[in-house]
Amino acid sequence: MSPSHKLCMIPGPIEFHEDVLQAMATPATSHVAPNFIPALGESIELLRKVLFTSGQPFIIAGSGTLGWDMTACNLVEAGDDVLVCNSGYFGDRFGECLETYGAKVTHLRVPIGESPQLAAVAAALKSKKFKAITITHVDTSTGVLSDIKGIAEVVKAESPETLVVVDGVCSVGSEEIRMDAWGIDVVVTASQKALGAPPGLCVMGVSERAIGVFKNRKTPVPNYYANWNRWLPIMNAYEARKPSYFATPAVQNIFALNVSLKQIVAQGIEKRFALHKEASAKAKKVIHDLGLKLVPTSLDHAANGMSAVYYPEGIAATDLLPKLAAHGIVAAGGLHVEIAPKYFRIGHMGISVTEPERGHLDATLNALKASLAECGYKGAL
Amino acid sequence: MSPSHKLCMIPGPIEFHEDVLQAMATPATSHVAPNFIPALGESIELLRKVLFTSGQPFIIAGSGTLGWDMTACNLVEAGDDVLVCNSGYFGDRFGECLETYGAKVTHLRVPIGESPQLAAVAAALKSKKFKAITITHVDTSTGVLSDIKGIAEVVKAESPETLVVVDGVCSVGSEEIRMDAWGIDVVVTASQKALGAPPGLCVMGVSERAIGVFKNRKTPVPNYYANWNRWLPIMNAYEARKPSYFATPAVQNIFALNVSLKQIVAQGIEKRFALHKEASAKAKKVIHDLGLKLVPTSLDHAANGMSAVYYPEGIAATDLLPKLAAHGIVAAGGLHVEIAPKYFRIGHMGISVTEPERGHLDATLNALKASLAECGYKGAL
C-alpha cells in the first residue's frame, strides 16, 4: 500500500484486505467462465451463513440503494401500507423509494439520536394492516442502532403477516443479525461496508416467506432490472454451478466479495460480532473520556461499527477533518440534514477491527486526540 | 498476468490494460475523497468526447441492462408508443423492459443475420407517432451492426420528434458513433465491452433534447434507483469537482473506467474506429478463407468489434470451444435462442485491437485454425 494512502475510516467504504484488492484486479474473465461461476455460487452460500438464513441471497451489480428498489418493487404492490421506522436520513430515503412504487408509507419518526421504541412500534402496528415494516438497522447518518430483534418480536405478536425488512447496509458484518431465528424477512446491504469489499454490489438476503409473498403478488413487478423474476433463475443457476445470463455480473467485484466472505466465515461470525463490540467500546470510551458527545443518546442503541460524534463547541468540520487527514485518517462529515455541520463520523468495521494488529483504530483515536489538541480543544484528555 | 490466464476474446468482458486492472485495486477510497471526485468528474467529460456529444453522460453502478431501465423509466410514459428495431436477443429484451414501464412496443423484426432496412423504418414511422425508436447498434447475439446514422436520418425526415435511442452496449468504443452530428438522443452502454474496463458500470450519453423531454414529462418517474432526478445533480456535482451523495458509486470501477477512457482519448477516437475496422476485416478474411459463414448475411452490416460465426457442419460447440480454451482462447457460444447451438462468437475489441503488438487477435485466429483442424475440419486453410 502506498505510503500516501490515508486510512479510510468512514462508515463505508472501509479498508480492504490485500487479498480482496488483489481479487479486484483479476484479469478479464467471462461471466460464464469455469472459475467465475463457483465464485458467485459460493458467495451466495456464504451469505446464508453470514445472515443466518435458509432464504435466498441476491448479489447484483448496483449499490445498497438498489436493494431498496428490489424490496419495494418486488414485495410491495401499489396501495400497500408500509411502516417505516425512521431514525434518520436513510429512513426518509427508503420511504421515498417505497412511495415511488405506490406504497402508502407511515413514518414512525424518532428524534435524532433515538432509536424506535418497541411500544411505539406495537401501537403503530395496531393502527392498520401493514404489508411490511422497514427498520434501518444502523442509520449511517446518526450511528443509531435499532433493536431489530425486539421489533421483529413485536411484529410477530401484533401483526405476524407483516414482512420485516431490515436496511442492513451499515450493519451486515458488524452487527448481530440472525434472520431466521429473529424472523427477519429481508436484509438489504452492500459490498462496501462491513462485508469488506469495494462498492459496486447490492447484496440481499430474502426469507423463504418473503419469496412466497413475492410469488403470490397480484400485479406485475413494475421494474425490469430489479425484478426478482429475472434474478431468481440466475442466482439458482450459479448456486448450482451452472452458467446463466440476464445482465453481466460485476465479475471482479464478485471475486473480491467472495474472498472477503470466505475470510469472514473462516474467522467465525460470532467472533466477528464480539470484535466489533470490543472495538466500539474502546472507541466510545475514548470519545467519552475526551468529553465528546455521541449523536446516539445512549450507548444501548449506538452502533458497533461506527461512531457519530458531535464536534465540541467552537470546533467545526473545516477544522477537524483536514487535521485528521493530515494525520492520515479519512473521517466523514455529518449527513443528517438537521445537524450535518455539527458532527462527524468514524467507521470501525471490517479488517480495521477484526485484525486489530493493523492498528487502524488506535491510529484513528490517536489522530483524533492530536487533531483536537491542534484545534485548541482543551478536552478531558 | 498469470501464465494460466486464457485470453478473454468474447464480446465482453474483454481483455483489460494492466493500468486499468491496477486501478481496480486502488486501496479504500471515500466516494467523496479529493482523489476520487476528479476521477468521476473527468470520466463524465471524457465520455462526451467518446460519444461526440454535448449532452449528459451518466456513470452508475449496475450493468448495461440498467441503462434500458434508465431509458424506459425516464423518457417513456405509460401509453407511449415505442418502435423497437429488433435484430436479435437484445431487441426482445429491450422491448420487455420498455413494456415494464407501460410502453406500447411495436417490434420491427428482421430475420436473423439481417439489419433493419431504412425503408421499413420509414414505413413504420408513418404508421403512428412514436415517442422513441430503439436500435441495437451491435446485437451481441448475432454480431449484426445496424445503420444508426441512416436510421437517425430517416427519423429526422419522417418523425423528427421521435427520440433516437441506441443500445450501444456492444458498440461504444469499437463502432463509429457521433451522437450530436447524427441526431442520436440516447446511447446506452456498459463498462466491460469496448470501453475497456471491468463490468459493473452502466454508462450512458443523453442528448440535451432528451433531457428536455425528461424534464417535461407529465407523470412521476416510476423507479427510484434509475431516476435521473436523483442522478442529474450527482453527475453535475462531480463534474464541477464537488462531492455529492445519492448512492455510493463503485469507486474502484470508476477509477478503472477513468484510466481506460483516458487511454481511449489519448490514442484518438478516429484511430480507434479505424483499428477496429482493420482488425475486423482481418478476422472476417480468415473466417471466410476457412470456409466458415458469418451470422450477419453481409459484411456491410457485420460488427467491427466481434464476429458471430456458424460452426461448419459436423462440428459443435462442445467440440470447438474446449479446444479453443485448450489453446488459451476463451470464445463464447451462441446466444440467439433460435440458433444458439449452431454458432460461436469471438470479440475483437479494446486493447486486443488497439495494441496489435499484444498479438491477441493473431493468437485467436491461429487457435481457431488449429482447433478446427483438431476437430477434423477439412476447411479451406
Side-chain angles (χ1 to χ4, degrees):
Chain A
M1 197 161 293
S2 149
S4 69
H5 175 68
K6 294 186 200 320
L7 286 179
C8 191
M9 300 300 284
I10 65 176
I14 66 169
E15 284 295 316
F16 312 125
H17 193 281
E18 292 74 8
D19 295 347
V20 170
L21 273 185
Q22 185 61 38
M24 280 294 280
T26 304
T29 305
S30 164
H31 47 294
V32 294
N35 60 327
F36 174 66
I37 292 171
L40 177 48
E42 186 188 42
S43 296
I44 293 167
E45 293 162 357
L46 290 167
L47 268 177
R48 285 211 186 85
K49 293 187 184 181
V50 170
L51 294 169
F52 294 93
T53 184
S54 59
Q56 179 62 55
F58 292 91
I59 302 171
I60 316 281
S63 80
T65 303
L66 178 65
W68 294 346
D69 282 72
M70 288 215 156
T71 304
C73 78
N74 288 295
L75 290 177
V76 175
E77 299 186 62
D80 284 343
D81 279 290
V82 178
L83 180 63
V84 171
C85 298
N86 189 323
S87 54
Y89 177 91
F90 291 93
D92 289 344
R93 296 291 93 75
F94 201 168
E96 287 173 7
C97 178
L98 288 156
E99 283 169 348
T100 300
Y101 295 97
K104 291 187 282 177
V105 171
T106 301
H107 284 277
L108 180 64
R109 292 182 198 278
V110 295
I112 293 171
E114 298 286 345
S115 68
Q117 298 300 302
L118 300 188
V121 172
L125 289 171
K126 283 189 218 292
S127 72
K128 64 179 86 157
K129 180 86 181 169
F130 290 100
K131 176 76 164 286
I133 178 174
T134 75
I135 313 140
T136 314
H137 195 186
V138 169
D139 199 298
T140 320
S141 74
T142 58
V144 163
L145 175 70
S146 289
D147 177 10
I148 58 171
K149 183 185 179 199
I151 292 173
E153 278 167 11
V154 168
V155 173
K156 197 170 183 187
E158 298 292 344
S159 178
E161 286 180 17
T162 300
L163 295 170
V164 178
V165 175
V166 169
D167 177 342
V169 170
C170 196
S171 75
V172 172
S174 59
E175 309 290 344
E176 196 175 346
I177 303 180
R178 300 175 197 275
M179 275 187 72
D180 292 359
W182 292 358
I184 310 287
D185 290 294
V186 177
V187 172
V188 173
T189 190
S191 47
Q192 80 278 4
K193 305 224 181 198
L195 288 181
L201 296 174
C202 164
V203 177
M204 298 185 76
V206 181
S207 72
E208 293 170 56
R209 178 170 91 136
I211 293 291
V213 169
F214 163 68
K215 288 191 170 164
N216 286 316
R217 53 181 293 140
K218 295 185 189 72
T219 56
V221 175
N223 187 308
Y224 187 74
Y225 184 66
N227 185 340
W228 287 345
N229 285 313
R230 308 280 169 189
W231 288 109
L232 277 170
I234 306 298
M235 294 299 123
N236 292 339
Y238 278 86
E239 193 171 357
R241 307 300 191 263
K242 289 180 190 157
S244 191
Y245 175 72
F246 166 57
T248 305
V251 171
Q252 277 67 18
N253 302 66
I254 288 170
F255 274 129
L257 178 66
N258 183 239
V259 169
S260 192
L261 288 171
K262 282 194 281 199
Q263 289 176 343
I264 290 170
V265 170
Q267 188 179 37
I269 300 162
E270 303 294 345
K271 177 149 190 214
R272 192 174 180 87
F273 293 153
L275 284 168
H276 279 84
K277 281 184 185 162
E278 234 173 75
S280 181
K282 184 177 186 174
K284 264 91 173 167
K285 181 169 189 314
V286 169
I287 289 161
H288 175 264
D289 290 349
L290 276 166
L292 302 181
K293 198 182 137 200
L294 287 174
V295 175
T297 52
S298 157
L299 284 178
D300 295 339
H301 58 260
N304 291 296
M306 65 172 287
S307 298
V309 188
Y310 286 106
Y311 297 114
E313 210 167 322
I315 292 174
T318 44
D319 298 331
L320 187 66
L321 296 181
K323 287 197 164 60
L324 278 167
H327 285 281
I329 303 296
V330 178
L335 183 58
H336 192 299
V337 68
E338 289 175 43
I339 54 169
K342 297 184 182 167
Y343 74 110
F344 65 100
R345 297 172 298 149
I346 55 175
H348 27 81
M349 284 182 255
I351 59 164
S352 297
V353 164
T354 60
E355 300 183 8
E357 60 276 18
R358 291 178 184 261
H360 292 179
L361 183 57
D362 288 334
T364 303
L365 296 172
N366 288 336
L368 178 61
K369 290 176 204 169
S371 300
L372 283 168
E374 286 159 26
C375 287
Y377 175 66
K378 316 262 186 245
L381 284 187
Chain B
M1 196 162 292
S2 151
S4 69
H5 175 68
K6 296 186 199 321
L7 286 179
C8 192
M9 300 301 284
I10 65 176
I14 66 169
E15 285 294 316
F16 312 124
H17 193 282
E18 293 74 7
D19 295 347
V20 170
L21 274 185
Q22 186 62 37
M24 279 294 279
T26 303
T29 305
S30 165
H31 47 293
V32 294
N35 60 327
F36 174 66
I37 291 170
L40 177 47
E42 186 188 40
S43 297
I44 293 167
E45 293 162 358
L46 290 167
L47 269 176
R48 284 209 187 85
K49 294 188 182 180
V50 169
L51 294 169
F52 293 93
T53 184
S54 59
Q56 179 62 55
F58 291 91
I59 302 171
I60 316 281
S63 80
T65 303
L66 178 66
W68 293 347
D69 282 72
M70 286 212 158
T71 303
C73 78
N74 288 297
L75 290 177
V76 176
E77 299 186 61
D80 283 345
D81 278 292
V82 178
L83 180 62
V84 171
C85 297
N86 188 324
S87 54
Y89 176 92
F90 292 93
D92 289 344
R93 296 291 94 76
F94 202 167
E96 287 173 6
C97 177
L98 287 157
E99 283 169 348
T100 300
Y101 295 97
K104 291 188 282 177
V105 172
T106 301
H107 285 278
L108 181 63
R109 291 182 198 277
V110 294
I112 293 172
E114 298 287 346
S115 68
Q117 299 301 303
L118 300 189
V121 173
L125 288 172
K126 282 189 218 292
S127 71
K128 63 180 87 156
K129 180 85 182 167
F130 290 101
K131 176 75 165 287
I133 178 174
T134 76
I135 313 141
T136 314
H137 195 186
V138 169
D139 198 300
T140 320
S141 74
T142 58
V144 163
L145 176 70
S146 290
D147 177 10
I148 58 170
K149 184 184 178 199
I151 292 174
E153 278 167 11
V154 170
V155 174
K156 198 170 182 185
E158 298 292 343
S159 178
E161 286 181 15
T162 299
L163 296 170
V164 179
V165 175
V166 169
D167 177 343
V169 170
C170 196
S171 74
V172 172
S174 58
E175 310 289 346
E176 197 176 343
I177 302 179
R178 301 176 196 275
M179 274 188 73
D180 291 0
W182 293 358
I184 310 285
D185 290 294
V186 176
V187 172
V188 173
T189 192
S191 47
Q192 80 276 5
K193 306 223 182 202
L195 288 181
L201 297 174
C202 165
V203 177
M204 297 186 77
V206 181
S207 72
E208 291 171 57
R209 178 172 90 136
I211 293 289
V213 169
F214 163 69
K215 287 190 171 163
N216 285 317
R217 55 181 292 140
K218 294 185 189 74
T219 57
V221 175
N223 186 310
Y224 187 74
Y225 185 65
N227 185 339
W228 286 345
N229 284 314
R230 307 280 169 190
W231 287 110
L232 277 169
I234 306 297
M235 295 299 122
N236 293 340
Y238 277 86
E239 194 171 357
R241 307 300 191 263
K242 288 178 189 158
S244 190
Y245 175 73
F246 166 57
T248 305
V251 170
Q252 276 67 17
N253 302 66
I254 288 169
F255 274 129
L257 178 67
N258 183 239
V259 169
S260 192
L261 288 171
K262 281 193 281 198
Q263 289 176 345
I264 290 170
V265 170
Q267 188 179 36
I269 299 161
E270 304 293 346
K271 177 148 190 214
R272 191 173 182 87
F273 294 152
L275 284 168
H276 278 84
K277 281 182 187 164
E278 235 173 74
S280 181
K282 183 177 187 174
K284 264 90 174 170
K285 181 168 188 315
V286 169
I287 289 162
H288 176 265
D289 290 350
L290 276 166
L292 302 182
K293 199 180 136 203
L294 287 173
V295 175
T297 52
S298 159
L299 285 178
D300 294 340
H301 58 262
N304 292 297
M306 65 172 288
S307 298
V309 188
Y310 286 106
Y311 297 113
E313 211 168 319
I315 292 174
T318 44
D319 298 330
L320 188 66
L321 296 182
K323 288 198 165 57
L324 279 167
H327 286 281
I329 303 296
V330 178
L335 183 58
H336 193 297
V337 68
E338 289 175 42
I339 55 169
K342 298 184 183 169
Y343 75 110
F344 65 100
R345 297 172 297 149
I346 54 175
H348 27 81
M349 285 181 254
I351 59 164
S352 297
V353 165
T354 59
E355 300 182 10
E357 61 276 17
R358 291 179 183 260
H360 291 179
L361 184 56
D362 289 334
T364 303
L365 297 172
N366 289 336
L368 178 61
K369 290 176 205 169
S371 301
L372 283 168
E374 287 159 25
C375 288
Y377 176 64
K378 315 265 185 239
L381 284 188

